[in-house]
């Protein structure tokens, strides 16, 4: 009897939180900057982040009305209780999937639509 085995195994770890050596000890999280922009006349302020940790009191600050929209990726799961009306969560699934295909097909991972690579 033969056993099936994988030719390749790809581990996808978009956020590895314990790898940080420069842990912060106090808030740095964007609210003060947004408040300053509003004071200077900005009508709309948007916040964007890849790995939204949302340590307290991030949710309160981000949902306080300073931001028109807060855009993050889903590299860290967002619990439903942490959601708020201005929050938009973008999926990185297609980006990661395409990158994995390119690596396995020995193609460049530089930005270029996959369909233009003549790969079926």
């Amino acid at each position: 009897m033969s056993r099936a085995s994988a030719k390749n195994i790809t581990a996808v770890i978009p956020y590895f939180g314990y790898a940080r050596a420069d842990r912060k000890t106090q808030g740095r999280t964007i609210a003060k900057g947004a408040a300053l922009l509003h004071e200077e006349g900005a009508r709309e302020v948007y916040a964007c982040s890849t790995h939204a940790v949302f340590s307290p009191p991030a949710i309160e600050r981000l949902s306080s009305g300073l931001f028109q929209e807060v855009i993050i990726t889903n590299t860290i799961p967002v619990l439903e209780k942490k959601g708020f009306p201005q929050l938009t969560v973008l999926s990185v699934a297609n980006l990661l999937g395409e990158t994995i295909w390119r690596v396995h097909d020995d193609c460049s991972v530089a930005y270029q639509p996959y369909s233009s690579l003549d790969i079926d």
Side-chain angles (χ1 to χ4, degrees), residues 49-90:
S49 176
T50 50
H51 310 300
V53 176
F54 288 152
S55 299
I59 301 297
E60 292 79 15
R61 290 179 179 166
L62 293 171
S63 64
S64 68
L66 289 171
F67 299 98
Q68 180 73 24
E69 188 174 14
V70 177
I71 304 166
I72 64 170
T73 64
N74 65 345
T75 57
I76 297 177
V78 179
L79 300 175
E80 201 171 306
K81 67 180 181 181
K82 289 193 173 186
F84 51 95
Q86 301 93 334
L87 183 64
T88 299
V89 181
L90 303 177

mmCIF file of all heavy atoms in Angstrom, residues 49-90:
data_model
loop_
_atom_site.group_PDB
_atom_site.id
_atom_site.type_symbol
_atom_site.label_atom_id
_atom_site.label_comp_id
_atom_site.label_asym_id
_atom_site.label_seq_id
_atom_site.Cartn_x
_atom_site.Cartn_y
_atom_site.Cartn_z
ATOM 1 N N SER A 49 -4.834 50.346 7.640
ATOM 2 C CA SER A 49 -3.856 49.528 8.349
ATOM 3 C C SER A 49 -3.898 48.113 7.803
ATOM 4 O O SER A 49 -4.952 47.628 7.398
ATOM 5 C CB SER A 49 -4.177 49.511 9.845
ATOM 6 O OG SER A 49 -3.301 48.645 10.525
ATOM 7 N N THR A 50 -2.751 47.442 7.808
ATOM 8 C CA THR A 50 -2.744 46.053 7.368
ATOM 9 C C THR A 50 -3.122 45.115 8.499
ATOM 10 O O THR A 50 -4.062 44.339 8.380
ATOM 11 C CB THR A 50 -1.360 45.652 6.820
ATOM 12 O OG1 THR A 50 -0.363 46.021 7.764
ATOM 13 C CG2 THR A 50 -1.093 46.315 5.487
ATOM 14 N N HIS A 51 -2.446 45.176 9.616
ATOM 15 C CA HIS A 51 -2.681 44.252 10.725
ATOM 16 C C HIS A 51 -3.298 45.012 11.897
ATOM 17 O O HIS A 51 -2.590 45.560 12.730
ATOM 18 C CB HIS A 51 -1.367 43.603 11.177
ATOM 19 C CG HIS A 51 -0.567 43.020 10.069
ATOM 20 N ND1 HIS A 51 -1.039 42.022 9.257
ATOM 21 C CD2 HIS A 51 0.679 43.291 9.634
ATOM 22 C CE1 HIS A 51 -0.113 41.708 8.372
ATOM 23 N NE2 HIS A 51 0.932 42.464 8.574
ATOM 24 N N ALA A 52 -4.604 45.049 11.960
ATOM 25 C CA ALA A 52 -5.295 45.827 12.988
ATOM 26 C C ALA A 52 -5.438 45.024 14.274
ATOM 27 O O ALA A 52 -6.310 44.175 14.398
ATOM 28 C CB ALA A 52 -6.659 46.255 12.475
ATOM 29 N N VAL A 53 -4.565 45.298 15.229
ATOM 30 C CA VAL A 53 -4.576 44.583 16.502
ATOM 31 C C VAL A 53 -5.740 45.054 17.372
ATOM 32 O O VAL A 53 -6.362 44.269 18.071
ATOM 33 C CB VAL A 53 -3.236 44.770 17.249
ATOM 34 C CG1 VAL A 53 -3.279 44.108 18.612
ATOM 35 C CG2 VAL A 53 -2.100 44.203 16.415
ATOM 36 N N PHE A 54 -6.071 46.325 17.329
ATOM 37 C CA PHE A 54 -7.174 46.916 18.097
ATOM 38 C C PHE A 54 -7.014 46.720 19.604
ATOM 39 O O PHE A 54 -7.920 46.293 20.300
ATOM 40 C CB PHE A 54 -8.530 46.380 17.644
ATOM 41 C CG PHE A 54 -8.989 46.878 16.306
ATOM 42 C CD1 PHE A 54 -9.827 46.106 15.532
ATOM 43 C CD2 PHE A 54 -8.598 48.108 15.824
ATOM 44 C CE1 PHE A 54 -10.275 46.559 14.298
ATOM 45 C CE2 PHE A 54 -9.023 48.575 14.588
ATOM 46 C CZ PHE A 54 -9.870 47.794 13.826
ATOM 47 N N SER A 55 -5.850 47.059 20.119
ATOM 48 C CA SER A 55 -5.651 47.048 21.567
ATOM 49 C C SER A 55 -6.476 48.178 22.176
ATOM 50 O O SER A 55 -6.627 49.235 21.568
ATOM 51 C CB SER A 55 -4.180 47.282 21.904
ATOM 52 O OG SER A 55 -3.384 46.262 21.354
ATOM 53 N N PRO A 56 -7.005 47.978 23.398
ATOM 54 C CA PRO A 56 -7.796 49.038 24.033
ATOM 55 C C PRO A 56 -6.953 50.297 24.181
ATOM 56 O O PRO A 56 -5.763 50.194 24.477
ATOM 57 C CB PRO A 56 -8.159 48.454 25.390
ATOM 58 C CG PRO A 56 -8.040 46.973 25.205
ATOM 59 C CD PRO A 56 -6.946 46.759 24.187
ATOM 60 N N PRO A 57 -7.500 51.449 23.992
ATOM 61 C CA PRO A 57 -8.858 51.836 23.632
ATOM 62 C C PRO A 57 -9.032 52.135 22.141
ATOM 63 O O PRO A 57 -9.719 53.089 21.773
ATOM 64 C CB PRO A 57 -9.067 53.082 24.477
ATOM 65 C CG PRO A 57 -7.709 53.739 24.427
ATOM 66 C CD PRO A 57 -6.707 52.601 24.427
ATOM 67 N N ALA A 58 -8.415 51.344 21.282
ATOM 68 C CA ALA A 58 -8.427 51.614 19.839
ATOM 69 C C ALA A 58 -9.833 51.728 19.263
ATOM 70 O O ALA A 58 -10.120 52.654 18.492
ATOM 71 C CB ALA A 58 -7.650 50.525 19.101
ATOM 72 N N ILE A 59 -10.712 50.813 19.609
ATOM 73 C CA ILE A 59 -12.066 50.828 19.045
ATOM 74 C C ILE A 59 -12.778 52.137 19.380
ATOM 75 O O ILE A 59 -13.393 52.764 18.509
ATOM 76 C CB ILE A 59 -12.892 49.622 19.551
ATOM 77 C CG1 ILE A 59 -12.217 48.313 19.179
ATOM 78 C CG2 ILE A 59 -14.322 49.679 19.035
ATOM 79 C CD1 ILE A 59 -12.097 48.052 17.709
ATOM 80 N N GLU A 60 -12.668 52.567 20.629
ATOM 81 C CA GLU A 60 -13.331 53.812 21.038
ATOM 82 C C GLU A 60 -12.773 55.007 20.260
ATOM 83 O O GLU A 60 -13.517 55.875 19.822
ATOM 84 C CB GLU A 60 -13.162 54.049 22.549
ATOM 85 C CG GLU A 60 -13.903 53.046 23.409
ATOM 86 C CD GLU A 60 -13.189 51.695 23.554
ATOM 87 O OE1 GLU A 60 -11.978 51.597 23.228
ATOM 88 O OE2 GLU A 60 -13.861 50.733 23.961
ATOM 89 N N ARG A 61 -11.472 55.030 20.084
ATOM 90 C CA ARG A 61 -10.854 56.163 19.372
ATOM 91 C C ARG A 61 -11.187 56.143 17.883
ATOM 92 O O ARG A 61 -11.466 57.183 17.292
ATOM 93 C CB ARG A 61 -9.345 56.135 19.573
ATOM 94 C CG ARG A 61 -8.944 56.480 20.985
ATOM 95 C CD ARG A 61 -7.457 56.426 21.165
ATOM 96 N NE ARG A 61 -7.101 56.775 22.533
ATOM 97 C CZ ARG A 61 -5.917 56.563 23.058
ATOM 98 N NH1 ARG A 61 -4.957 56.010 22.333
ATOM 99 N NH2 ARG A 61 -5.676 56.895 24.308
ATOM 100 N N LEU A 62 -11.139 54.966 17.284
ATOM 101 C CA LEU A 62 -11.386 54.871 15.840
ATOM 102 C C LEU A 62 -12.852 55.089 15.481
ATOM 103 O O LEU A 62 -13.166 55.516 14.377
ATOM 104 C CB LEU A 62 -10.920 53.506 15.320
ATOM 105 C CG LEU A 62 -9.407 53.274 15.375
ATOM 106 C CD1 LEU A 62 -9.084 51.821 15.056
ATOM 107 C CD2 LEU A 62 -8.678 54.215 14.428
ATOM 108 N N SER A 63 -13.753 54.790 16.393
ATOM 109 C CA SER A 63 -15.185 54.945 16.112
ATOM 110 C C SER A 63 -15.760 56.240 16.670
ATOM 111 O O SER A 63 -16.971 56.430 16.678
ATOM 112 C CB SER A 63 -15.956 53.749 16.693
ATOM 113 O OG SER A 63 -15.845 53.719 18.100
ATOM 114 N N SER A 64 -14.892 57.150 17.095
ATOM 115 C CA SER A 64 -15.337 58.386 17.751
ATOM 116 C C SER A 64 -15.878 59.447 16.805
ATOM 117 O O SER A 64 -16.323 60.492 17.248
ATOM 118 C CB SER A 64 -14.178 58.972 18.551
ATOM 119 O OG SER A 64 -13.166 59.430 17.664
ATOM 120 N N GLY A 65 -15.817 59.203 15.501
ATOM 121 C CA GLY A 65 -16.295 60.194 14.549
ATOM 122 C C GLY A 65 -15.182 60.972 13.871
ATOM 123 O O GLY A 65 -15.445 61.803 13.002
ATOM 124 N N LEU A 66 -13.936 60.730 14.256
ATOM 125 C CA LEU A 66 -12.815 61.421 13.627
ATOM 126 C C LEU A 66 -12.558 60.924 12.208
ATOM 127 O O LEU A 66 -11.999 61.644 11.393
ATOM 128 C CB LEU A 66 -11.546 61.226 14.460
ATOM 129 C CG LEU A 66 -11.476 61.957 15.795
ATOM 130 C CD1 LEU A 66 -10.261 61.496 16.589
ATOM 131 C CD2 LEU A 66 -11.407 63.462 15.562
ATOM 132 N N PHE A 67 -12.948 59.682 11.940
ATOM 133 C CA PHE A 67 -12.627 59.062 10.650
ATOM 134 C C PHE A 67 -13.878 58.828 9.818
ATOM 135 O O PHE A 67 -14.877 58.323 10.312
ATOM 136 C CB PHE A 67 -11.912 57.717 10.868
ATOM 137 C CG PHE A 67 -10.616 57.859 11.608
ATOM 138 C CD1 PHE A 67 -10.562 57.628 12.970
ATOM 139 C CD2 PHE A 67 -9.461 58.242 10.951
ATOM 140 C CE1 PHE A 67 -9.370 57.769 13.669
ATOM 141 C CE2 PHE A 67 -8.269 58.393 11.643
ATOM 142 C CZ PHE A 67 -8.226 58.156 13.005
ATOM 143 N N GLN A 68 -13.771 59.161 8.560
ATOM 144 C CA GLN A 68 -14.839 58.852 7.615
ATOM 145 C C GLN A 68 -14.935 57.337 7.441
ATOM 146 O O GLN A 68 -16.017 56.771 7.380
ATOM 147 C CB GLN A 68 -14.543 59.521 6.264
ATOM 148 C CG GLN A 68 -15.566 59.279 5.195
ATOM 149 C CD GLN A 68 -16.840 60.062 5.442
ATOM 150 O OE1 GLN A 68 -16.822 61.079 6.125
ATOM 151 N NE2 GLN A 68 -17.936 59.587 4.884
ATOM 152 N N GLU A 69 -13.753 56.707 7.348
ATOM 153 C CA GLU A 69 -13.691 55.256 7.165
ATOM 154 C C GLU A 69 -12.368 54.746 7.728
ATOM 155 O O GLU A 69 -11.348 55.418 7.632
ATOM 156 C CB GLU A 69 -13.795 54.917 5.676
ATOM 157 C CG GLU A 69 -13.939 53.463 5.358
ATOM 158 C CD GLU A 69 -14.187 53.211 3.869
ATOM 159 O OE1 GLU A 69 -13.980 54.132 3.051
ATOM 160 O OE2 GLU A 69 -14.570 52.086 3.543
ATOM 161 N N VAL A 70 -12.408 53.560 8.320
ATOM 162 C CA VAL A 70 -11.217 52.877 8.819
ATOM 163 C C VAL A 70 -11.116 51.585 8.021
ATOM 164 O O VAL A 70 -11.977 50.714 8.111
ATOM 165 C CB VAL A 70 -11.328 52.579 10.329
ATOM 166 C CG1 VAL A 70 -10.112 51.791 10.805
ATOM 167 C CG2 VAL A 70 -11.480 53.878 11.125
ATOM 168 N N ILE A 71 -10.067 51.467 7.209
ATOM 169 C CA ILE A 71 -9.910 50.337 6.299
ATOM 170 C C ILE A 71 -8.767 49.457 6.788
ATOM 171 O O ILE A 71 -7.657 49.945 7.010
ATOM 172 C CB ILE A 71 -9.626 50.834 4.863
ATOM 173 C CG1 ILE A 71 -10.732 51.788 4.413
ATOM 174 C CG2 ILE A 71 -9.480 49.654 3.908
ATOM 175 C CD1 ILE A 71 -10.389 52.589 3.180
ATOM 176 N N ILE A 72 -9.056 48.171 6.972
ATOM 177 C CA ILE A 72 -8.052 47.224 7.445
ATOM 178 C C ILE A 72 -8.110 45.961 6.587
ATOM 179 O O ILE A 72 -9.032 45.775 5.809
ATOM 180 C CB ILE A 72 -8.265 46.856 8.928
ATOM 181 C CG1 ILE A 72 -9.596 46.116 9.116
ATOM 182 C CG2 ILE A 72 -8.195 48.093 9.813
ATOM 183 C CD1 ILE A 72 -9.783 45.510 10.488
ATOM 184 N N THR A 73 -7.121 45.101 6.748
ATOM 185 C CA THR A 73 -7.166 43.790 6.095
ATOM 186 C C THR A 73 -7.565 42.744 7.122
ATOM 187 O O THR A 73 -7.543 42.989 8.327
ATOM 188 C CB THR A 73 -5.797 43.406 5.489
ATOM 189 O OG1 THR A 73 -4.854 43.277 6.548
ATOM 190 C CG2 THR A 73 -5.336 44.437 4.459
ATOM 191 N N ASN A 74 -7.905 41.572 6.641
ATOM 192 C CA ASN A 74 -8.326 40.491 7.527
ATOM 193 C C ASN A 74 -7.175 39.560 7.906
ATOM 194 O O ASN A 74 -7.390 38.390 8.173
ATOM 195 C CB ASN A 74 -9.476 39.701 6.909
ATOM 196 C CG ASN A 74 -9.074 38.963 5.652
ATOM 197 O OD1 ASN A 74 -8.028 39.223 5.058
ATOM 198 N ND2 ASN A 74 -9.908 38.046 5.227
ATOM 199 N N THR A 75 -5.947 40.089 7.953
ATOM 200 C CA THR A 75 -4.813 39.261 8.354
ATOM 201 C C THR A 75 -4.878 38.899 9.830
ATOM 202 O O THR A 75 -4.241 37.953 10.260
ATOM 203 C CB THR A 75 -3.475 39.962 8.059
ATOM 204 O OG1 THR A 75 -3.463 41.232 8.722
ATOM 205 C CG2 THR A 75 -3.260 40.148 6.569
ATOM 206 N N ILE A 76 -5.614 39.676 10.604
ATOM 207 C CA ILE A 76 -5.940 39.348 11.988
ATOM 208 C C ILE A 76 -7.459 39.323 12.053
ATOM 209 O O ILE A 76 -8.105 40.300 11.670
ATOM 210 C CB ILE A 76 -5.388 40.402 12.967
ATOM 211 C CG1 ILE A 76 -3.862 40.448 12.908
ATOM 212 C CG2 ILE A 76 -5.864 40.113 14.390
ATOM 213 C CD1 ILE A 76 -3.256 41.504 13.787
ATOM 214 N N PRO A 77 -8.054 38.229 12.515
ATOM 215 C CA PRO A 77 -9.521 38.169 12.574
ATOM 216 C C PRO A 77 -10.092 39.282 13.448
ATOM 217 O O PRO A 77 -9.546 39.591 14.515
ATOM 218 C CB PRO A 77 -9.810 36.804 13.197
ATOM 219 C CG PRO A 77 -8.569 36.011 12.995
ATOM 220 C CD PRO A 77 -7.433 36.994 12.990
ATOM 221 N N VAL A 78 -11.172 39.889 12.975
ATOM 222 C CA VAL A 78 -11.847 40.939 13.728
ATOM 223 C C VAL A 78 -13.111 40.337 14.330
ATOM 224 O O VAL A 78 -13.994 39.896 13.590
ATOM 225 C CB VAL A 78 -12.208 42.136 12.820
ATOM 226 C CG1 VAL A 78 -12.939 43.205 13.614
ATOM 227 C CG2 VAL A 78 -10.960 42.715 12.177
ATOM 228 N N LEU A 79 -13.176 40.308 15.652
ATOM 229 C CA LEU A 79 -14.361 39.792 16.309
ATOM 230 C C LEU A 79 -15.542 40.710 16.032
ATOM 231 O O LEU A 79 -15.382 41.926 15.931
ATOM 232 C CB LEU A 79 -14.129 39.684 17.817
ATOM 233 C CG LEU A 79 -12.980 38.773 18.253
ATOM 234 C CD1 LEU A 79 -12.794 38.856 19.762
ATOM 235 C CD2 LEU A 79 -13.250 37.345 17.825
ATOM 236 N N GLU A 80 -16.716 40.130 15.915
ATOM 237 C CA GLU A 80 -17.918 40.909 15.614
ATOM 238 C C GLU A 80 -18.131 42.028 16.625
ATOM 239 O O GLU A 80 -18.539 43.127 16.270
ATOM 240 C CB GLU A 80 -19.126 39.974 15.598
ATOM 241 C CG GLU A 80 -20.295 40.544 14.834
ATOM 242 C CD GLU A 80 -21.390 39.521 14.645
ATOM 243 O OE1 GLU A 80 -21.091 38.423 14.136
ATOM 244 O OE2 GLU A 80 -22.528 39.828 15.020
ATOM 245 N N LYS A 81 -17.803 41.774 17.893
ATOM 246 C CA LYS A 81 -18.001 42.791 18.922
ATOM 247 C C LYS A 81 -17.043 43.968 18.765
ATOM 248 O O LYS A 81 -17.252 45.022 19.334
ATOM 249 C CB LYS A 81 -17.861 42.185 20.316
ATOM 250 C CG LYS A 81 -16.461 41.707 20.656
ATOM 251 C CD LYS A 81 -16.387 41.117 22.047
ATOM 252 C CE LYS A 81 -14.970 40.674 22.368
ATOM 253 N NZ LYS A 81 -14.863 40.079 23.672
ATOM 254 N N LYS A 82 -15.984 43.803 17.977
ATOM 255 C CA LYS A 82 -15.028 44.891 17.750
ATOM 256 C C LYS A 82 -15.364 45.712 16.506
ATOM 257 O O LYS A 82 -14.693 46.679 16.205
ATOM 258 C CB LYS A 82 -13.606 44.344 17.650
ATOM 259 C CG LYS A 82 -13.064 43.855 18.968
ATOM 260 C CD LYS A 82 -11.579 43.622 18.899
ATOM 261 C CE LYS A 82 -11.045 43.300 20.271
ATOM 262 N NZ LYS A 82 -9.584 43.203 20.286
ATOM 263 N N GLY A 83 -16.388 45.308 15.785
ATOM 264 C CA GLY A 83 -16.773 46.049 14.592
ATOM 265 C C GLY A 83 -17.459 47.361 14.955
ATOM 266 O O GLY A 83 -17.994 47.523 16.043
ATOM 267 N N PHE A 84 -17.420 48.322 14.035
ATOM 268 C CA PHE A 84 -18.096 49.605 14.205
ATOM 269 C C PHE A 84 -18.459 50.130 12.821
ATOM 270 O O PHE A 84 -17.928 49.658 11.815
ATOM 271 C CB PHE A 84 -17.239 50.594 15.013
ATOM 272 C CG PHE A 84 -15.821 50.753 14.522
ATOM 273 C CD1 PHE A 84 -15.471 51.777 13.659
ATOM 274 C CD2 PHE A 84 -14.826 49.876 14.936
ATOM 275 C CE1 PHE A 84 -14.173 51.927 13.215
ATOM 276 C CE2 PHE A 84 -13.521 50.017 14.510
ATOM 277 C CZ PHE A 84 -13.190 51.045 13.647
ATOM 278 N N PRO A 85 -19.402 51.070 12.738
ATOM 279 C CA PRO A 85 -19.946 51.478 11.428
ATOM 280 C C PRO A 85 -18.914 51.945 10.403
ATOM 281 O O PRO A 85 -19.066 51.690 9.214
ATOM 282 C CB PRO A 85 -20.904 52.611 11.780
ATOM 283 C CG PRO A 85 -21.300 52.356 13.190
ATOM 284 C CD PRO A 85 -20.101 51.728 13.848
ATOM 285 N N GLN A 86 -17.854 52.609 10.829
ATOM 286 C CA GLN A 86 -16.864 53.132 9.872
ATOM 287 C C GLN A 86 -15.859 52.084 9.410
ATOM 288 O O GLN A 86 -15.035 52.345 8.550
ATOM 289 C CB GLN A 86 -16.075 54.297 10.503
ATOM 290 C CG GLN A 86 -16.901 55.458 10.945
ATOM 291 C CD GLN A 86 -17.308 55.353 12.413
ATOM 292 O OE1 GLN A 86 -17.408 54.275 12.984
ATOM 293 N NE2 GLN A 86 -17.577 56.495 13.018
ATOM 294 N N LEU A 87 -15.908 50.872 9.970
ATOM 295 C CA LEU A 87 -14.910 49.849 9.687
ATOM 296 C C LEU A 87 -15.192 49.103 8.388
ATOM 297 O O LEU A 87 -16.294 48.608 8.169
ATOM 298 C CB LEU A 87 -14.847 48.843 10.843
ATOM 299 C CG LEU A 87 -13.782 47.747 10.719
ATOM 300 C CD1 LEU A 87 -12.386 48.353 10.727
ATOM 301 C CD2 LEU A 87 -13.945 46.732 11.839
ATOM 302 N N THR A 88 -14.180 49.023 7.530
ATOM 303 C CA THR A 88 -14.221 48.221 6.310
ATOM 304 C C THR A 88 -13.072 47.229 6.378
ATOM 305 O O THR A 88 -11.916 47.630 6.566
ATOM 306 C CB THR A 88 -14.061 49.106 5.053
ATOM 307 O OG1 THR A 88 -15.139 50.039 5.007
ATOM 308 C CG2 THR A 88 -14.050 48.275 3.786
ATOM 309 N N VAL A 89 -13.396 45.944 6.249
ATOM 310 C CA VAL A 89 -12.376 44.898 6.305
ATOM 311 C C VAL A 89 -12.191 44.316 4.903
ATOM 312 O O VAL A 89 -13.147 43.819 4.312
ATOM 313 C CB VAL A 89 -12.771 43.779 7.296
ATOM 314 C CG1 VAL A 89 -11.683 42.714 7.348
ATOM 315 C CG2 VAL A 89 -13.036 44.350 8.681
ATOM 316 N N LEU A 90 -10.985 44.411 4.365
ATOM 317 C CA LEU A 90 -10.659 43.883 3.047
ATOM 318 C C LEU A 90 -9.979 42.527 3.173
ATOM 319 O O LEU A 90 -9.107 42.347 4.023
ATOM 320 C CB LEU A 90 -9.736 44.845 2.294
ATOM 321 C CG LEU A 90 -10.257 46.265 2.096
ATOM 322 C CD1 LEU A 90 -9.194 47.112 1.384
ATOM 323 C CD2 LEU A 90 -11.551 46.263 1.310
#
